Amino acid sequence: MSPVLIGRSAELRQLRAALAAAPGAVLLGGDAGLGKTRLIREFGRDADARTLVGGCLELGSDGLPFAPFTTVLRGLVRDIGIEGVAGLVPRGDTGALARLLPEFGEPESDAASGEERARLFEVVLTLLERLAERGPVVLVIEDAHWADRSTRDLLAFLIRNLGAAPLLVVLTYRSDELHRTHPLRQLLAGLERLERVRRTEIGQLARADVAALVTELLGQTPPPGLVERIEARSEGNPCSSRRCSTTTARWRASCPSRCATCCWRASSGSPRRRRTSCGTPAAAAPASSTRCWRRCRGSTTRR
Ligand SMILES: Nc1ncnc2c1ncn2[C@@H]1O[C@H](COP(=O)(O)OP(=O)(O)O)[C@@H](O)[C@H]1O
Ligand SMILES: [Mg+2]
């Protein structure tokens, strides 16, 4: 992992502005690997706010009811204890939270009744609001494209009923997973119409940012043409850029003469792609570098 966050200053500014204007919500979309989690982590680290994070799990259409909220509550119990949580809910009655975490007792029934759900929703909202009254709170729900129905319902309830306390809800999701009938689509469309909600997309990294990332990961200036190749292959996706750079670094380490051909080819992935995205068919490459490549490839494969 690159220890430095590359680029993303506009996105960080947007998030900081949303926190300053809280209560509100940010719906942050973007393809897998574009850096949503990394962005949120960097934002949370520097934000003058308590950050609570829960992720949705890829468990099929039914999922695990309220899974990210269970994670959030577990983290909060770790931070302020059961008593601390009880102090934030009306009359200290944490019974409704049993649906989320066994530390709060046994749920009244196996499946939540409408009344029980309504109580749970109210308690979670009050809990978060009262916590935010003590200081700004960022609630991050990651990977909402995997959210089960209960989680989607609770999210909609929270965002629609935000009070006055500085509570910012940040929801991340993979835009490339939202097919035409995906249930999250409807939720997002409804929420983005609300005044205090901002929907935004994280984009691909610009070439200068890819160059900075590759340099950071290689620990040195990349050989000529490498950044362009990695940018073309990764389409500015930091995750793919990182993978290409790591492969390149491995090959560079195994190539005694550290020749550019080896780096280029290594950064281009599979053997077939190696030829096409390298732009130079193996047969047309200078004999010495082809020999070098074969030697280095052999030495890496043998490891
Ligand atoms: N702006 C960035 N600078 C440096 N590394 C990044 C950046 N964005 C993402 N990464 C790295 O790329 C990888 C994928 O990012 P991640 O945040 O998990 O993507 P997503 O959550 O959108 O699927 C991680 O290793 C992350 O550290
Ligand atoms: Mg992520």
Side-chain angles (χ1 to χ4, degrees):
M1 182 172 108
S2 161
V4 184
L5 177 78
I6 308 289
R8 304 303 187 208
S9 42
E11 291 85 347
L12 277 174
R13 257 199 314 276
Q14 263 187 21
L15 286 167
R16 288 182 190 134
L19 179 59
V26 174
L27 316 175
L28 177 67
D31 291 357
L34 273 180
K36 302 176 290 299
T37 299
R38 182 68 189 267
L39 173 67
I40 298 299
R41 199 178 302 157
E42 301 281 336
F43 163 64
R45 212 189 45 199
D46 297 337
D48 188 14
R50 180 192 288 272
T51 306
L52 310 169
V53 184
C56 302
L57 309 171
E58 188 178 11
L59 290 171
S61 60
D62 287 340
L64 198 59
F66 306 117
F69 288 96
T70 296
T71 309
V72 163
L73 188 58
R74 195 180 296 122
L76 199 55
V77 167
R78 213 176 292 134
D79 282 358
I80 63 173
I82 301 255
E83 293 305 315
V85 172
L88 293 167
V89 303
R91 298 175 303 283
D93 181 4
T94 53
L97 298 175
R99 175 78 39 208
L100 301 184
L101 212 58
E103 279 88 330
F104 293 101
E106 280 287 313
E108 283 170 16
S109 55
D110 281 350
S113 64
E115 199 183 317
E116 203 187 329
R117 265 166 69 94
R119 200 138 39 90
L120 171 65
F121 285 18
E122 277 299 339
V123 169
V124 173
L125 178 64
T126 309
L127 172 66
L128 291 169
E129 296 250 286
R130 290 197 178 164
L131 192 63
E133 280 164 11
R134 298 177 178 180
V137 172
V138 181
L139 171 71
V140 181
I141 301 297
E142 281 253 63
D143 296 319
H145 53 280
W146 287 324
D148 66 289
R149 172 137 192 222
S150 307
T151 300
R152 287 195 305 271
D153 290 348
L154 179 48
L155 273 170
F157 177 82
L158 289 179
I159 295 174
R160 286 179 183 281
N161 290 285
L162 288 170
L167 171 62
L168 177 69
V169 182
V170 180
L171 210 146
T172 73
Y173 60 92
R174 286 187 187 166
S175 337
D176 49 344
E177 298 259 347
L178 296 193
H179 53 76
R180 210 165 41 86
T181 58
H182 195 292
L184 190 67
R185 266 183 186 276
Q186 205 182 346
L187 174 65
L188 296 174
L191 291 177
E192 74 177 317
R193 279 189 229 114
L194 303 177
E195 202 184 321
R196 294 192 282 196
V197 177
R198 184 186 181 98
R199 186 169 177 178
T200 180
E201 284 273 322
I202 189 169
Q204 57 192 60
L205 290 180
R207 176 169 297 178
D209 292 334
V210 174
L213 184 61
V214 174
T215 307
E216 172 77 28
L217 292 167
L218 290 183
Q220 56 190 292
T221 310
L226 181 67
V227 169
E228 289 74 5
R229 255 164 239 279
I230 290 184
E231 189 201 11
R233 266 209 85 202
S234 68
E235 295 177 336
N237 182 306
C239 188
S240 320
S241 302
R242 188 175 57 102
R243 222 175 295 129
C244 292
S245 305
T246 311
T247 316
T248 303
R250 224 179 35 237
W251 284 103
R252 265 178 87 84
S254 73
C255 172
S257 54
R258 294 173 174 258
C259 77
T261 304
C262 280
C263 287
W264 282 2
R265 292 184 174 202
S267 70
S268 305
S270 74
R272 192 178 303 149
R273 278 219 191 102
R274 214 176 276 144
R275 278 194 215 138
T276 50
S277 70
C278 182
T280 321
S288 58
S289 52
T290 305
R291 261 204 304 281
C292 180
W293 163 253
R294 285 211 193 101
R295 220 173 27 238
C296 295
R297 191 177 46 178
S299 72
T300 305
T301 321
R302 276 197 298 277
R303 275 180 196 176

